[in-house]
Amino acid sequence: MSQRNRGEGKRGARERLREQRERERARAKRKRTLGVLGAVVAVFAVAAGVGVFASRTEDDSGKSGSAVVPPRGAVGKGRLVIPSGKKGEPGEPGESSKGSGKGAPATLTVFEDFRCPGCKQFEDVFRKTVHELQDDGRLRVEYHLVTIIDGNLGGTGSLRAANAAACAQDRDPDTFRAYHDVLYRHQPEETRDAYAHNSRLIKLAGTVPGLVTPAFRKCVEDGRHDTWVRKSNDVFTHSGYASTPTVLLDGKSVYGDPDKPLSPKKLKRMVLAATRD
């Protein structure tokens, strides 16, 4: 082979080697690009899956997209109050109907959580006196159901029990009062979220004559009033009150001050004084 041909052969080999290396670099670049795109697609796919799951979870639990359904007979702003006692026209939550010429002359406003031990203590001590004053037409009680313990300890027992109580209110106010008392008498330990189980709530409802009907079961199991309970709790968290029970008599806080303890006799005297005014 001539010197010239040998030189051209060497240049051809170098060109082929260079072209091969460029092709390999191009393939490697394409592979890296496809890998990055695949990862991006995977991330978007996971994100989309989480979004659908969250949406379904919220829809199934009633947290979003559910209408606020007040129980029958609920009153006050936003119909967030369950009244118990002689009928009358209430004002804003915590305000008295005194002076309206309608209903009982005194109003007891109670913010309660069915998982709250302090609420049970209040109910156990004052239940008999409150019922007597109600039945005499001297006192109207306005209940605000909240879920502060669910928020503090986790779980759903406060929400589930409040919804069940609202389902009892759908039947009539006397049934609500009876079931309300049953829930406090059988309140589980604060750390045991037993009221998270609808079956437990329905079983306790069986102690209230006539309460357990197909309509009541469906109301409890479907969480008919869940969004209403959440709304009530949201109003409470923005009310300026920080704990349960919060108890107001004609709009004035009367419970929880260790320097001015409330007793059943004292509550009765205060209500009777309002009756005479």
Side-chain angles (χ1 to χ4, degrees), residues 95-108 133 136-140 248-252 254 265-277:
E95 291 184 1
S96 171
S97 56
K98 176 183 174 182
S100 65
K102 301 178 181 179
T107 300
L108 193 72
L133 292 169
D136 288 344
R138 299 177 184 276
L139 183 69
R140 170 192 177 90
L248 315 176
L249 180 62
D250 292 338
K252 182 180 179 180
V254 294
K265 288 184 178 180
K266 184 176 180 180
L267 176 62
K268 191 170 185 177
R269 286 198 304 270
M270 295 167 72
V271 171
L272 293 178
T275 303
R276 288 193 295 269
D277 290 345

Side-chain angles (χ1 to χ4, degrees), residues 218-232:
K218 181 174 176 56
C219 181
V220 172
E221 292 170 352
D222 290 353
R224 175 178 174 81
H225 302 296
D226 281 3
T227 305
W228 175 83
V229 175
R230 292 190 182 97
K231 179 65 175 177
S232 178

Side-chain angles (χ1 to χ4, degrees), residues 22-226:
E22 288 179 353
R23 286 194 296 271
E24 289 175 352
R25 284 196 295 269
R27 282 197 298 270
K29 183 177 180 180
R30 286 197 298 272
K31 188 175 181 180
R32 288 195 301 271
T33 302
L34 290 173
V36 171
L37 289 175
V40 171
V41 170
V43 168
F44 277 114
V46 171
V50 171
V52 170
F53 178 77
S55 176
R56 287 176 179 171
T57 299
E58 289 179 355
D59 288 344
D60 291 344
S61 65
K63 289 182 181 178
S64 69
S66 299
V68 175
V69 182
R72 184 178 302 172
V75 297
K77 186 176 181 180
R79 295 181 63 194
L80 297 175
V81 180
I82 293 183
S84 180
K86 190 174 180 180
K87 293 181 179 180
E89 297 297 328
E92 296 296 317
E95 291 184 1
S96 171
S97 56
K98 176 183 174 182
S100 65
K102 301 178 181 179
T107 300
L108 193 72
T109 303
V110 183
F111 295 84
E112 286 186 325
D113 181 328
F114 286 108
R115 286 181 70 186
C116 164
C119 298
K120 174 177 171 56
Q121 182 179 12
F122 170 79
E123 289 294 335
D124 289 347
V125 172
F126 290 91
R127 181 182 297 115
K128 181 179 178 181
T129 299
V130 169
H131 286 348
E132 287 177 355
L133 292 169
Q134 284 180 298
D135 295 342
D136 288 344
R138 299 177 184 276
L139 183 69
R140 170 192 177 90
V141 185
E142 297 182 349
Y143 291 102
H144 298 252
L145 307 184
V146 301
T147 60
I148 192 170
I149 304 300
D150 284 358
N152 290 344
L153 298 182
T156 59
S158 301
L159 173 63
R160 299 264 47 79
N163 172 71
C167 293
Q169 170 68 18
D170 283 338
R171 178 180 171 87
D172 61 62
D174 290 339
T175 302
F176 165 81
R177 188 173 97 167
Y179 186 53
H180 165 276
D181 293 350
V182 165
L183 289 176
Y184 277 113
R185 287 192 181 104
H186 293 85
Q187 184 190 77
E189 293 179 13
E190 187 179 16
T191 55
R192 288 182 58 244
D193 196 20
Y195 283 171
H197 304 289
N198 289 330
S199 58
R200 174 63 175 162
L201 297 168
I202 292 171
K203 182 177 180 179
L204 289 175
T207 65
V208 179
L211 176 54
V212 180
T213 63
F216 175 79
R217 285 181 179 274
K218 181 174 176 56
C219 181
V220 172
E221 292 170 352
D222 290 353
R224 175 178 174 81
H225 302 296
D226 281 3

